[in-house]
Amino acid sequence: MTPLPPGFRIVLDPDTRELSDGLWFGGSPARVLRLTGAGRKAWRDLGDGPVTSAATGTLARRLTDAGLAHPVPPEPETPADVTVVVPVRDRAELLGRCLAGLDRKHPVLVVDDGSDDPAAVAAVAAAHGAKLMRRDVNGGPGAARNTALDHVGTELIAFLDSDCVPAERWADRLATHFADPLLAAVAPRVRALAPDTWAGRYTRAAGSLDLGDRPARVAPGTRVSYVPTAALVARRSALTSVAADGAVFDPALRVGEDVDLVWRLHEAGFRVRYAPDVAVDHHEPQTWRDLLGRRARYGTSAAPLALRHPKALAPLALHPWPALTVGALLARRPALAALAFGGSVGSMVRLLRAHDVPDAGVVRAMATAVRQTWLGCGRYGTQFAAPLLAALLVPGGRRRWSRRAAVASLLLGPPLTAWAQRRPELDPVRYTAAAIADDIAYGAGVWAGCLAQRTTVPVRPAVVRRPLEIDPKGTR
């Protein structure tokens, strides 16, 4: 394991807990990590300062890879050597706002991807001192970025979409993370710039490009499974090492090309990080038609991504005991639900005791697992089986009220829970209606992609047999 280099510090993730001396719980996926005597000594050194040795660097790498902690890079000794690449097709006014947000400390390469009005794009690029390249045929953002890569001479590349407004020194601040030799790419938080309308307020609260305010290692099956290339700083040598037929971005993907790239970098052994302490604003669609249309287009990428990365894409992960508990509750079988919940608690207690891990708090943890399973099933049903849920809500006799209540909990539970957590600038009724429409639009896109690619992989739930990873030997 390549240690995290000297000078890096780490900060524990908010969900990480020390169960006992040298025994830690947290991460994504959840795990229990046990430190050996040497590991505990390295932790004492690392807790008081930066990485200074191979031992502290190895422990820092283990903790940050597992998601129990996050790296804090050292201050750089020299300014970052970065080229900013901006793909664009028309939208000259937005391009002007994007380029105006850059500080001109780094070279900027604008790639006109077959604009209908190339003169307007050229005028904006010239006004801001950017170099311009022209593609006669539109190939999509991935193809435009590929065109730029052949003309970039710096090791670091900052991809920035033309509808973004960057924060001051955004690329320089992200570039500090590349003191880690294994890092291939790092992404900022992408915040929504949206009008003060129903659609705009919903997008600001639940925009699909905004991945939240918590840092993360980016990898399939974790809390942050991908990052968009709307704003991304990447290492050129890492990009070219995963190129296929000379193309870093898959030109066949008009949507989802960024997810595909991130997953290929992960499969190649590189690290990708999400650093929300740096933010970039992104202009969002202004109408419901445009917003839901974009969500449907995003959904169409699921099928081609699933064919390229069959193990990385699961719309729903089900742990057997919590899933059985939720199923029994929805079927109005309280005795079976209690039996299943007891089984989940018992199996977890046996697993923990077999590895000498304290079992305090297991009941609460398994109750949380049941709650998350219910919410996951609800969103899955809304995205991929909304007509069936709607049909089951139709009145059908006095004895059917409990069935309708169960179905309503699946449909309304996830958006109302999200509303209570986020407290957006929308009342719960409009937020719930918007979230349901959002999920249905995305699901329609997924189904369309499945039909086009003749696959059902993107709609198949995955069964996870092992709910918790436990390190039996200990980490040095």
Side-chain angles (χ1 to χ4, degrees), residues 84 86 95 99 102 104 106-110 121-122 124-133:
V84 181
V86 183
L95 175 64
L99 298 182
L102 300 173
R104 298 202 181 194
H106 305 293
V108 179
L109 178 56
V110 173
V121 171
V124 171
H128 293 277
K131 181 180 177 181
L132 178 67
M133 297 186 64

Side-chain angles (χ1 to χ4, degrees), residues 112-166:
D112 183 345
D113 189 27
S115 291
D116 294 329
D117 188 0
V121 171
V124 171
H128 293 277
K131 181 180 177 181
L132 178 67
M133 297 186 64
R134 163 79 179 169
R135 288 173 51 89
D136 293 329
V137 179
N138 174 260
R145 297 186 192 108
N146 285 339
T147 298
L149 286 171
D150 292 333
H151 301 270
V152 171
T154 58
E155 176 63 357
L156 296 183
I157 304 168
F159 296 110
L160 185 67
D161 282 0
S162 61
D163 51 1
C164 288
V165 180

Side-chain angles (χ1 to χ4, degrees), residues 192 194-205 285-286 288 291:
D196 193 25
T197 61
W198 181 3
R201 290 195 293 272
Y202 172 75
T203 305
R204 289 200 295 269
Q286 298 192 13
W288 278 116
L291 178 63

Side-chain angles (χ1 to χ4, degrees), residues 198 202 288 291-293 295-296 382-383 386 411 415 430-444:
W198 181 3
Y202 172 75
W288 278 116
L291 178 63
L292 297 179
R295 284 294 284 158
T382 303
Q383 288 180 335
L411 191 65
R430 285 190 292 175
Y431 182 89
T432 297
I436 291 174
D438 189 343
D439 281 342
I440 291 174
Y442 177 79

Side-chain angles (χ1 to χ4, degrees), residues 36-58:
T36 63
R40 288 195 291 272
K41 181 182 183 304
W43 167 246
R44 288 192 293 271
D45 295 339
L46 194 59
D48 295 332
V51 171
T52 56
S53 65
T56 53
T58 299

Side-chain angles (χ1 to χ4, degrees), residues 239-240 242-249 251 264:
L239 298 182
T240 55
V242 299
D245 298 324
V248 170
F249 291 91
R264 281 189 283 124

